[in-house]
Amino acid sequence: MRRVKSDQLQLVFAASPSGGKSAEKPDVSGGRAFLLHIASARKIPDFIAPAAAPRRLLDEVASPLNLATALLHVARNKGAAGVDGKSVGEVVADVSRLLPLLCEELLSGRYRPGDVRRVWIPKPGGGQRGLGIPNVVDRWVQQAVHQILAPIFEPEFHNSSHGFRSGRGAGTALPEATEHIAEGRTWVVGVDLSKFFDRVNHQRLLARMGQRISDACLLRLVHQMLKAKVVLPDGTQVSSTEGTPQGGPLSPLLSNIVLDELDWEMERRGLHFVRYADDFNVYVRSKRAGQRVMAGLTHFIEGRMRLKVNIEKTELARSGRIHFLGFNLFTRRNGSIGIRLSARSRKRIDTKIRELTPRNWGGSLDICFAKLNRYLKGWFGYFRLVTGAGARLFKRIDAHIRRRIRAIIVLQRKRARFLARHLESRGVSHRAAALSAYCSRGPWWKSNSVGMRQAYPNAWFHAGRLVSLWSCWEAVPSPATASGQLRFDF
């Protein structure tokens, strides 16, 4: 990508090599120790004097304590370099010089956000999603602003908002949705906002923020962040007139501030809903009521909030057919509510497993297991919320992974006689090994043959080699819903 010059923090990076492409990895231990010392001191060091102007919030943003805590948070999240090429390690390593200069630039009003690097990632349902990667210094400042603004706005957010909030997530959103369905609201309006993060109106966002904060300097700083230019992969610079680019620490909070207006409008209309970022469902008792709700919300979102509803993806259906946060909520015959993977989630994990276990795998099985385990642990950490009937799919996924590994082993032996000798060396009888190796079927059939299952039984895989989703799920305790009255039926 063509390098884009920026005048951001010219004094800060004057002595740094251009682009941050140093041959040696920066030593961040000293910078981290400096940050921990500042964050634990809980007092303003002597290198910065308090601002004379009455800008309480901006002073808090620019305080060394807040900035040190913010950079520690950014360092934990790591992340790629922005347009300027500076890595997180380089910034942390030079923090003793950067911190006072950044404080001074923020308080004097000379700080200007740098350009945002645009990258495209594939969306699970097809197409691409644009992410904006600010420079590390800009992520640092955004996190510092987030730490001051979040305590102001968080208490005012609606209780049915669960995305990007401390102590909330899918684990709190699903129980609330379960309660709505258990009360008889089995029809769901699943509203999809088209390119929400790219369509946020800056003036409406700043006006809503201005209702809670009066620090004009801080509002001006947020406005500058919103208007930062975007650099496309081919080096083209694009001005930002609307939207909050995904990828910065402040973007999730700003999105919740925008959509909080929608939350309270739905509350005023007496609707029962659950929202996670720009993905939200409204629960009603009949199809006719759902049609009225869909028409009313579309008019409000497009007319009042100046956003766009994706009509093609907005749907009205029974709860068991609605994809919400990767799950389906369905009603059993006995009236209890179950949680299972949605069809989209099942398709995604099947695709990922095929990518991680290709038939032509020529490396060590230990490497293959390591990659699988890393993915499966992270995947299960989110999808562990499924209930009894839905969790049975974990057994099938485990079996499918084992069979794909066995198919790799078959193909790595190349010739039938080599496979037969290998199976016999693992204790398989001569007859069973011959039937598995010399049959005319392909490697997929052989992978499930008696000889292969005897040579590589399930116990071999789960003896510390491969993560078992079913075993992990059985070890998870049964969680309670938000109200404490309903429990998932495991």
Side-chain angles (χ1 to χ4, degrees), residues 139-265:
R139 299 207 296 271
W140 181 5
V141 175
Q142 287 191 30
Q143 179 62 33
V145 174
H146 180 279
Q147 292 171 177
I148 300 302
L149 292 184
I152 298 174
F153 288 96
E154 274 286 339
E156 303 298 322
F157 288 154
H158 198 281
N159 286 333
S160 294
S161 170
H162 298 269
F164 307 127
R165 298 183 63 186
S166 178
R168 291 172 176 260
T172 57
L174 291 175
E176 184 178 353
T178 300
E179 292 180 7
H180 294 323
I181 298 172
E183 292 170 357
R185 300 177 181 88
T186 57
W187 284 90
V188 183
V189 181
V191 181
D192 184 87
L193 299 180
S194 177
K195 299 181 179 179
F196 164 73
F197 287 92
D198 296 331
R199 296 180 185 273
V200 172
N201 184 277
H202 292 173
Q203 297 305 320
R204 284 186 56 81
L205 169 58
L206 294 171
R208 189 160 184 84
M209 294 179 66
Q211 296 174 4
R212 295 286 301 159
I213 60 177
S214 58
D215 191 332
C217 295
L218 182 55
L219 289 175
R220 189 180 304 114
L221 175 61
V222 173
H223 192 202
Q224 290 172 348
M225 294 176 178
L226 292 173
K227 292 184 70 66
K229 293 183 178 180
V230 176
V231 179
L232 301 180
D234 61 359
T236 305
Q237 241 182 12
V238 180
S239 298
S240 297
T241 57
E242 60 180 4
T244 59
Q246 293 176 270
L250 192 57
S251 180
L253 177 62
L254 297 181
S255 67
N256 274 334
I257 293 174
V258 172
L259 292 174
D260 189 57
E261 179 182 3
L262 176 61
D263 294 342
W264 289 107
E265 175 64 20

Side-chain angles (χ1 to χ4, degrees), residues 318-372:
R318 292 284 189 180
S319 60
R321 297 185 178 182
I322 294 291
H323 170 95
F324 183 54
L325 303 179
F327 301 91
N328 288 143
L329 305 181
F330 64 99
T331 304
R332 297 190 181 96
R333 291 181 179 179
N334 61 5
S336 62
I337 310 302
I339 302 178
R340 63 192 176 200
L341 297 183
S342 69
R344 274 188 260 174
S345 297
R346 295 197 297 269
K347 184 177 179 180
R348 290 173 193 170
I349 190 172
D350 288 343
T351 301
K352 188 64 178 180
I353 289 173
R354 285 196 296 270
E355 294 175 357
L356 294 174
T357 56
R359 295 285 186 88
N360 59 350
W361 179 266
S364 167
L365 286 181
D366 292 337
I367 298 176
C368 186
F369 283 139
K371 290 184 176 181
L372 276 169

Side-chain angles (χ1 to χ4, degrees), residues 100-136:
L101 289 174
L102 185 57
C103 289
E104 180 185 353
E105 290 207 351
L106 286 170
L107 293 175
S108 64
R110 291 189 292 111
Y111 168 80
R112 294 292 181 272
D115 296 339
V116 177
R117 181 164 69 91
R118 172 59 56 88
V119 296
W120 299 98
I121 61 173
K123 296 173 66 174
Q128 290 183 317
R129 174 182 287 111
L131 291 183
I133 302 180
N135 295 332
V136 177

